[in-house]
Amino acid sequence: MLFHTSDFYEEYKSSCFIELQFCRMPKSSDIKEIVSVDNIENRLDDSLYITDENLFYREYSRIFDCGIYNNLNTGVVDIYGINYYPPSEMDTIINRITENNPEDYSALIKWLEKARNFNGFYILGI
């Protein structure tokens, strides 16, 4: 299993993981605010956690190639930094996942469907 819930985090108790987190900032927020380290909390109850960054990168890097970094550049998922995915990218990402069927994709699809209720989501690196 690639994706884990907060129950797993409580057991794991390490800081060596990737966290997928809903963006709770208002949709009217400036992109600089959205990707600011100061505005991101870690270890939220509804996040997904990944401990195998190599498997995640191998399976998902080509899917998550549209993230906005903390420096406002865009590119492939940075497993060591902040990656923000706005609501406008949700359909593209879900379609790519469905077409490619990467490891544990059904759990991720369910979580991404919930992300539609937020201002996109983050992939927060190790």
Side-chain angles (χ1 to χ4, degrees):
M1 180 180 236
L2 184 59
F3 300 102
H4 306 277
T5 63
S6 61
D7 295 337
F8 168 82
Y9 171 73
E10 289 303 317
E11 270 183 43
Y12 191 66
K13 296 211 189 241
S14 172
S15 61
C16 188
F17 56 82
I18 296 170
E19 181 176 357
L20 278 72
Q21 182 184 108
F22 301 128
C23 177
R24 290 176 165 78
M25 303 229 18
K27 292 186 180 191
S28 60
S29 299
D30 183 78
I31 189 64
K32 289 179 185 178
E33 288 180 272
I34 292 173
V35 296
S36 171
V37 170
D38 295 335
N39 291 324
I40 297 174
E41 282 184 55
N42 291 308
R43 302 179 184 114
L44 298 180
D45 288 344
D46 54 5
S47 292
L48 285 180
Y49 298 93
I50 303 161
T51 58
D52 190 337
E53 71 275 0
N54 293 322
L55 177 59
F56 176 74
Y57 190 82
R58 186 174 61 245
E59 293 287 313
Y60 287 93
S61 62
R62 67 186 173 278
I63 292 168
F64 292 111
D65 67 350
C66 53
I68 301 170
Y69 306 140
N70 180 257
N71 65 7
L72 303 181
N73 288 331
T74 302
V76 69
V77 64
D78 176 3
I79 61 170
Y80 298 105
I82 295 171
N83 305 266
Y84 168 67
Y85 300 87
S88 60
E89 295 294 338
M90 293 294 289
D91 288 338
T92 300
I93 291 168
I94 290 172
N95 288 340
R96 287 178 180 173
I97 292 169
T98 305
E99 290 169 4
N100 291 293
N101 298 327
E103 182 82 21
D104 205 14
Y105 75 95
S106 61
L108 181 57
I109 292 284
K110 288 177 189 174
W111 187 87
L112 287 171
E113 289 297 338
K114 292 178 189 172
R116 291 183 186 276
N117 298 318
F118 295 89
N119 186 13
F121 66 96
Y122 298 104
I123 297 178
L124 305 173
I126 299 172

